[in-house]
Amino acid sequence: MKTTFHLFSVIFLLTLLFTSASAQVIVTVPVYPTDLDSCTVIFDATKGNAGLKDVPPPIYAHTGVITDSSTSSSGWRYVLAPWNQNIPKALMTPLGNNLYSIRLVPSIREFYGVPATEKILKIAFVFRNADGSKAGREADGGDIFGNVYPAVTSVTITAPAVKALYLPLNDSIPVSATSPLADTMFLYVNQTLIKKNAGHVITDTLLAYNFGQYWTRQWVTIRAVNDTASAADSFFYSVVPPPPVAALPPGMKDGINYIDSTTVLLSLFAPYKDFCFVTGDFTGWQTDSAFYMNRTPDGTRYWLQVSNLIPNKEYIFQYLVDGTLLIADPYCDKVSDPDDQYIDNATYPDLIPYPTGKTTQIASVLQTAQAPYAWNHPSITEPALSSLVIYELLIRDFTVQHDYPSLIDTLHYLKRLGVNAIELMPVMEFEGNSSWGYNPDFEFAPDKYYGTREGLKEFIDTAHGMGIAVILDIVLNHQFGQSPLARLYWDDANQRPAANSPWFNPIPTHPANVGNDFNHQSPYTREFCTRVLRYWVTEYHADGYRLDLSKGFTQVNSYPGNWALWAQKDTARIRVLENYYDSVRTVKPDVLFILEHFADNDEETELSAYGMLLWGNSNSNYSDATEGWVTGNLSDFSGISYKNRGWSEPHLVGYMESHDEERVMYNNITFGNQSNPAYPCRDTNFALNRMGMAATFFYTIPGPKMLWQFGELGYDYSINYPTGTSDSRLDPKPIRWDYYGQFPRRYLYNVCSALIGLKNDQPVFSTSDFTLNVGGALKGITLRGSDMDAEIIGNFNVWAGNIVPGFTRTGMWYDYFTGDSLDVSSVSDPVSLEPGEYHLYTTKRLVKPIFTGIGGTVSPASGPGFLTIYPNPSSKVTRILYSIGEPARVKISICDLSGREIAVLTDGLQTAGTHEISWDHTNLTGQTVAPGIYFCSFLSAGHREIRKIIVSTE
């Protein structure tokens, strides 16, 4: 069947788009296209996310179809062309007034090239400009879909949305149905004809009448006929009595209350709702009067005790609210999601399958008699704020397995680096599987994409055992659309939270909001968030939080674009944050409470003085400096100092990189200054050296610091990899653990490790008596301590230059990195520095750091040691020759590439003279080591040497 495209239809639809405030992003001509019809799709760029509003042509359709062979409801097939490929077939025709059209001819099936064996369910679109930098999508950022109808007579009931309704007496039931090829439509209630209508559409509004009996199913049937065929579809409703009224038993809280090994009490906070059922595995997924929930006398809660459960068995369940809305429990600690099918068994063993065909939407999981996790290290002594070094990571992009066991395996690497806190990007249940985690739906349930609840606890427990705190990035500014709190009070007409939502603002109050904006002035929101914040530090023994978008906890309306007003001091917002902080400290007094705030300094000063920590972004400053662009104040590092902000305590968490910032190393090799041909900043080796210089001017500035994953190895993939546009910002990034085996990057790791060690061990790097001279190309830091002073100098220019260091005294100063000494006769004498040259001087000689990068060798000018290794390479036995000048303790050990000690060859007092020791490659335990590169470490009388050993095959 072919459909002719008429100008009249276009005019009609354009009028509809102009006059209907709730019009869809696309409309089709015909309205009910089949796969054999030609079809015109009209796109309104002002609707949806309005990403192409007022964008001039050309506009292209990125388009495909959803078929019965798609792997999911959003699984595109037969896509016309890749995202950035402009083809004539996908070019939209401008109609004026932000309207565009595209014709799918000669038929939808032929346009996309879909074989006859596949059933087309939907056409799918994202519209874009020519270079793909701007896109038109649905309001929530999702794809745009249009239905395709079967080319035979069938009935599609478009209202109600479900086939089983449970309603109070005389409630209205809007009914509508279509049948594209029908001539006549009929509506029946219990086989009694209620309405007949010519054409292919029928609508009506019925009243829920119980015919004298509650709970009895009343069947509504819609029948469609034409000259050659007929079809029918139906749904039922049951009229339910008012719910029984009973007070919630004492001690019970909202959510799942475990009474004993066979009994739970379920409580749902749902004011303004009429009634509620529990449905799930223990009801056979039937709506049963035995699971009709009690209502509290104040009408705000529904509760039910469920008994006769099997101990330790997992049950999936939902609440059915007002007969039509299925939601999971907002407080559940595990959910069952249709997307669980994409989580492999290695990540989450024996995951209970989603009850496909029995229900829809995300469900909750309960399990009685769960064995508690046996904690070995439930807590640690929190690191001093002055020496706090946080490692921020996204599990998805940190280990290939993206799970907790593999994350545990990285702890030795992080411990050697010296970090004393790990900040996990959000691990609470978020929409989809692969995500940054800032689209949460369930705040009490760890997302199963990373593994089990026990796996997260084991990771925290193991980290604690190594003296490392664990900070959880948590999102309390907003939730996304699958959240039961959002769905429970939802305005379908405007696709936003309803005006009577206890938790959310219908319209956001600030310009940076995503998802559904929490109203933190609501007592219900504060009660919910307080419970969330107490939960993770008690149940999982987390050591603290990084609160995402904490400046969004405001009701001062700066939406949509008043950024300056949003940043101004907001006393009510300050009180909310103080209350949250105080509430967590009632269960964990030493909690680390970090805000991503970026408000005006008077507000941040008050929050800092109250004890909270705040993020301090210096990404652009360090990037400009390492790139070699050092004119003006662009590369000024002073903003990373808490004293520069007038704060009394070191509560500023400074960082060069975070998950939100472009990677500094990528900026170096992409935008670095190349005006000096002999010193091109874009050269990888030069750029890595400049990263070491930046690290020296980063970790030594007193106050807590944060680094982003792999920054210690000079990670050089853009935040917008792979396309280079913001559309790829959230995409997975390459996981480059192999960087650790590359000498220049391993050298950078060792520089960072040495500097973090100074920050942890030497009090002068926590001093409050320091001076920064970090605004120009030649930079200096002066630190004054009780036991020693320190001076850092460096040349961030691409040309040589002179600097007068801030030496605090004359006499001997010692270069930490080289071990050399400098006799300062005048503190006003300049020092000449080559481009990229930097030094860290102290008034007390420190043990020179050992840089054990591949091929790395550290040898003194004189002294004991003088290791000779032969044969090298060797397949069986390596001999090590060395000498010591006087009796001393000698330790010789063998380490692998990760720095793990695999053999100790000797460790004890030895006489003066020359000695030889052999390393049998069976590792002294009978287990032959694998061929590869190893390191021999010699330590005696404070002197250390490192030599590379190559174990070869036969």
Side-chain angles (χ1 to χ4, degrees):
M1 173 181 173
K2 306 292 183 183
T3 302
T4 304
F5 180 73
H6 294 292
L7 179 61
F8 174 78
S9 298
V10 176
I11 296 172
F12 172 76
L13 288 170
L14 293 182
T15 302
L16 179 64
L17 283 168
F18 281 131
T19 58
S20 175
S22 61
Q24 297 178 353
V25 183
I26 63 171
V27 293
T28 61
V29 180
V31 177
Y32 304 104
T34 72
D35 61 332
L36 300 180
D37 286 335
S38 64
C39 177
T40 295
V41 177
I42 300 173
F43 163 58
D44 186 347
T46 68
K47 297 298 190 292
N49 70 341
L52 292 174
K53 181 181 178 182
D54 298 326
V55 174
I59 300 297
Y60 289 86
H62 183 61
T63 181
V65 293
I66 311 299
T67 76
D68 57 356
S69 295
S70 295
T71 57
S72 70
S73 60
S74 59
W76 287 37
R77 292 172 63 80
Y78 304 102
V79 180
L80 287 193
W83 175 255
N84 277 332
Q85 184 175 336
N86 298 332
I87 62 173
K89 189 174 182 179
L91 181 63
M92 303 289 291
T93 301
L95 304 176
N97 295 319
N98 279 297
L99 299 174
Y100 296 86
S101 70
I102 185 172
R103 297 196 66 193
L104 315 182
V105 292
S107 70
I108 293 176
R109 184 171 294 277
E110 293 177 73
F111 181 81
Y112 292 101
V114 183
T117 54
E118 285 188 60
K119 180 181 179 182
I120 303 176
L121 304 176
K122 295 180 180 180
I123 48 178
F125 294 91
V126 175
F127 301 96
R128 63 173 179 81
N129 62 347
D131 64 5
S133 61
K134 297 181 179 181
R137 301 176 179 271
E138 289 285 5
D140 62 359
D143 302 339
I144 303 166
F145 297 107
N147 289 324
V148 177
Y149 296 85
V152 296
T153 299
S154 62
V155 173
T156 300
I157 296 177
T158 54
V162 295
K163 295 295 184 72
L165 300 176
Y166 297 87
L167 305 169
L169 185 64
N170 293 325
D171 201 11
S172 60
I173 310 173
V175 179
S176 62
T178 64
S179 181
L181 303 182
D183 296 329
T184 310
M185 304 282 287
F186 301 88
L187 172 63
Y188 301 87
V189 175
N190 294 332
Q191 300 182 352
T192 299
L193 179 64
I194 302 299
K195 187 174 184 179
K196 173 182 177 182
N197 195 51
H200 61 268
V201 177
I202 191 168
T203 62
D204 201 1
T205 299
L206 304 176
L207 293 180
Y209 185 62
N210 65 357
F211 299 97
Q213 288 185 312
Y214 287 115
W215 304 109
T216 302
R217 294 184 176 183
Q218 316 297 335
W219 285 94
V220 179
T221 303
I222 295 94
R223 180 167 165 259
V225 301
N226 62 17
D227 292 339
T228 59
S230 67
D233 199 3
S234 59
F235 66 90
F236 74 82
Y237 71 85
S238 293
V239 175
V240 299
V245 176
L248 186 68
M252 298 297 100
K253 58 187 178 182
D254 292 331
I256 305 168
N257 297 271
Y258 291 101
I259 307 302
D260 55 42
S261 62
T262 63
T263 309
V264 298
L265 185 143
L266 305 175
S267 175
L268 177 68
F269 180 74
Y272 320 124
K273 300 301 179 182
D274 294 321
F275 58 89
C276 188
F277 290 87
V278 177
T279 181
D281 289 338
F282 41 76
T283 76
W285 289 101
Q286 300 298 312
T287 304
D288 192 319
S289 59
F291 293 90
Y292 195 45
M293 300 182 77
N294 302 293
R295 183 164 60 194
T296 56
D298 62 4
T300 62
R301 285 175 171 81
Y302 293 86
W303 66 273
L304 183 73
Q305 183 167 297
V306 180
S307 304
N308 301 316
L309 300 172
I310 299 174
N312 205 40
K313 174 182 171 64
E314 288 190 311
Y315 291 90
I316 302 174
F317 75 98
Q318 291 172 315
Y319 299 113
L320 176 63
V321 181
D322 285 355
T324 58
L325 178 65
L326 286 165
I327 63 168
D329 191 297
Y331 295 89
C332 68
D333 62 3
K334 183 176 180 179
V335 303
S336 184
D337 189 320
D339 285 341
D340 288 351
Q341 61 183 305
Y342 305 114
I343 298 176
D344 60 60
N345 192 64
T347 301
Y348 199 113
D350 303 319
L351 178 59
I352 185 172
Y354 180 80
T356 303
K358 298 177 181 178
T359 189
T360 60
Q361 301 293 337
I362 296 174
S364 30
V365 179
L366 64 81
Q367 181 184 21
T368 64
Q370 297 179 51
Y373 179 83
W375 290 89
N376 295 309
H377 308 283
S379 64
I380 62 170
T381 300
E382 301 288 5
L385 295 184
S386 57
S387 59
L388 180 65
V389 178
I390 303 168
Y391 195 93
E392 185 191 20
L393 65 87
L394 171 61
I395 301 175
R396 183 198 69 183
D397 292 350
F398 195 57
T399 70
V400 173
Q401 298 88 345
H402 62 74
D403 61 12
Y404 296 116
S406 64
L407 190 59
I408 289 172
D409 290 342
T410 71
L411 285 173
H412 287 285
Y413 169 91
L414 297 173
K415 179 68 174 178
R416 287 194 303 275
L417 180 59
V419 300
N420 46 29
I422 296 170
E423 180 181 307
L424 299 180
M425 284 175 66
V427 298
M428 300 77 184
E429 272 286 350
F430 43 76
E431 293 196 352
N433 286 325
S434 177
S435 171
W436 275 15
Y438 296 106
N439 52 342
D441 293 323
F442 293 85
E443 299 286 359
F444 293 84
D447 197 285
K448 300 181 295 299
Y449 179 72
Y450 297 136
T452 65
R453 294 169 294 191
E454 292 73 20
L456 175 56
K457 291 178 180 179
E458 184 181 1
F459 165 73
I460 295 173
D461 198 15
T462 307
H464 284 174
M466 300 175 71
I468 300 174
V470 177
I471 298 167
L472 299 180
D473 195 342
I474 194 165
V475 184
L476 295 177
N477 173 80
H478 57 268
Q479 286 191 329
F480 268 58
Q482 294 186 68
S483 160
L485 299 184
R487 295 182 61 241
L488 194 54
Y489 299 89
W490 190 252
D491 180 351
D492 281 315
N494 294 298
Q495 287 298 293
R496 66 191 190 194
N500 66 344
S501 170
W503 302 285
F504 297 103
N505 293 309
I507 298 174
T509 59
H510 63 88
N513 184 73
V514 293
N516 304 302
D517 182 33
F518 269 125
N519 172 9
H520 286 273
Q521 290 302 316
S522 165
Y524 307 110
T525 299
R526 293 200 298 273
E527 180 183 9
F528 177 79
C529 292
T530 295
R531 187 166 162 187
V532 171
L533 290 167
R534 290 176 175 171
Y535 173 75
W536 292 96
V537 298
T538 54
E539 179 66 22
Y540 286 85
H541 295 282
D543 300 287
Y545 298 105
R546 178 263 187 190
L547 273 67
D548 178 66
L549 204 56
S550 57
K551 190 169 62 178
F553 296 11
T554 181
Q555 287 301 107
V556 176
N557 192 358
S558 58
Y559 184 83
N562 195 335
W563 296 83
L565 175 60
W566 184 37
Q568 289 177 8
K569 186 175 182 179
D570 179 349
T571 301
R573 176 170 59 200
I574 294 172
R575 297 291 90 79
V576 165
L577 289 166
E578 289 175 344
N579 288 336
Y580 287 154
Y581 181 43
D582 288 341
S583 71
V584 183
R585 289 197 292 173
T586 62
V587 293
K588 184 173 177 56
D590 60 349
V591 66
L592 296 167
F593 208 74
I594 307 171
L595 308 181
E596 184 203 22
H597 212 61
F598 305 126
D600 288 350
N601 191 53
D602 54 352
E603 177 167 334
E604 295 205 349
T605 299
E606 185 169 340
L607 293 167
S608 167
Y610 203 77
M612 289 173 258
L613 283 69
L614 297 100
W615 261 21
N617 182 3
S618 290
N619 173 259
S620 62
N621 310 95
Y622 281 91
S623 286
D624 286 334
T626 56
E627 292 167 36
W629 307 110
V630 288
T631 58
N633 295 320
L634 295 177
S635 68
D636 189 344
F637 300 160
S638 59
I640 207 169
S641 165
Y642 71 95
K643 289 180 62 179
N644 186 65
R645 302 189 180 200
W647 298 4
S648 59
E649 299 292 336
H651 288 171
L652 183 67
V653 180
Y655 59 87
M656 292 190 284
E657 295 177 340
S658 75
H659 66 271
D660 270 333
E661 311 303 332
E662 186 57 273
R663 315 307 173 214
V664 175
M665 184 62 181
Y666 170 80
N667 282 335
N668 293 347
I669 63 176
T670 307
F671 307 111
N673 188 340
Q674 301 196 100
S675 60
N676 182 352
Y679 189 84
C681 290
R682 298 185 193 182
D683 177 89
T684 298
N685 288 325
F686 285 119
L688 286 168
N689 179 72
R690 295 177 72 85
M691 291 293 292
M693 179 167 55
T696 306
F697 278 82
F698 175 68
Y699 294 108
T700 58
I701 297 177
K705 297 293 181 288
M706 184 185 76
L707 69 155
W708 169 245
Q709 63 183 32
F710 298 129
E712 72 282 2
L713 297 173
Y715 190 80
D716 47 11
Y717 288 84
S718 171
I719 193 174
N720 294 323
Y721 177 89
T723 66
T725 70
S726 58
D727 286 338
S728 294
R729 188 178 185 86
L730 306 183
D731 289 350
K733 302 297 185 285
I735 299 170
R736 297 302 303 269
W737 281 98
D738 60 305
Y739 277 4
Y740 188 62
Q742 299 176 15
F743 173 71
R745 297 181 187 276
R746 177 71 170 274
Y747 191 90
L748 173 61
Y749 171 94
N750 290 329
V751 169
C752 294
S753 178
L755 292 166
I756 295 172
L758 291 180
K759 190 173 188 67
N760 289 330
D761 300 336
Q762 299 298 330
V764 71
F765 295 99
S766 299
T767 182
S768 60
D769 186 5
F770 62 92
T771 304
L772 302 183
N773 177 24
V774 291
L778 290 124
K779 301 179 186 294
I781 300 174
T782 304
L783 303 126
R784 305 168 189 88
S786 58
D787 61 336
M788 71 173 183
D789 293 350
E791 178 68 23
I792 299 96
I793 56 174
N795 182 6
F796 285 85
N797 210 331
V798 296
W799 306 97
N802 295 327
I803 183 173
V804 176
F807 289 128
T808 57
R809 67 188 76 167
T810 59
M812 300 303 295
W813 289 73
Y814 303 96
D815 192 322
Y816 174 64
F817 291 119
T818 67
D820 296 337
S821 58
L822 178 67
D823 190 357
V824 176
S825 58
S826 172
V827 295
S828 60
D829 288 345
V831 173
S832 177
L833 296 176
E834 293 299 313
E837 183 180 355
Y838 61 98
H839 299 274
L840 193 164
Y841 292 106
T842 58
T843 55
K844 181 175 71 175
R845 185 186 292 276
L846 302 176
V847 176
K848 188 178 73 169
I850 304 301
F851 299 124
T852 58
I854 294 176
T857 300
V858 178
S859 299
S862 62
F866 305 109
L867 291 181
T868 299
I869 296 176
Y870 66 100
N872 194 15
S874 173
S875 62
K876 294 181 179 179
V877 176
T878 299
R879 291 178 171 82
I880 302 156
L881 184 69
Y882 61 97
S883 63
I884 53 176
E886 58 185 24
R889 181 181 178 183
V890 175
K891 179 179 180 181
I892 298 178
S893 58
I894 306 297
C895 300
D896 63 15
L897 280 176
S898 69
R900 181 173 61 93
E901 189 172 77
I902 64 170
V904 177
L905 306 185
T906 184
D907 188 5
L909 183 66
Q910 296 187 9
T911 60
T914 300
H915 301 263
E916 181 175 340
I917 192 168
S918 296
W919 177 38
D920 183 342
H921 299 169
T922 57
N923 196 21
L924 307 182
T925 64
Q927 181 180 358
T928 302
V929 299
I933 297 174
Y934 297 84
F935 295 97
C936 175
S937 170
F938 170 94
L939 178 64
S940 180
H943 168 73
R944 171 172 284 176
E945 289 186 47
I946 303 292
R947 291 292 188 271
K948 179 171 65 178
I949 296 178
I950 299 176
V951 175
S952 63
T953 57
E954 291 287 342

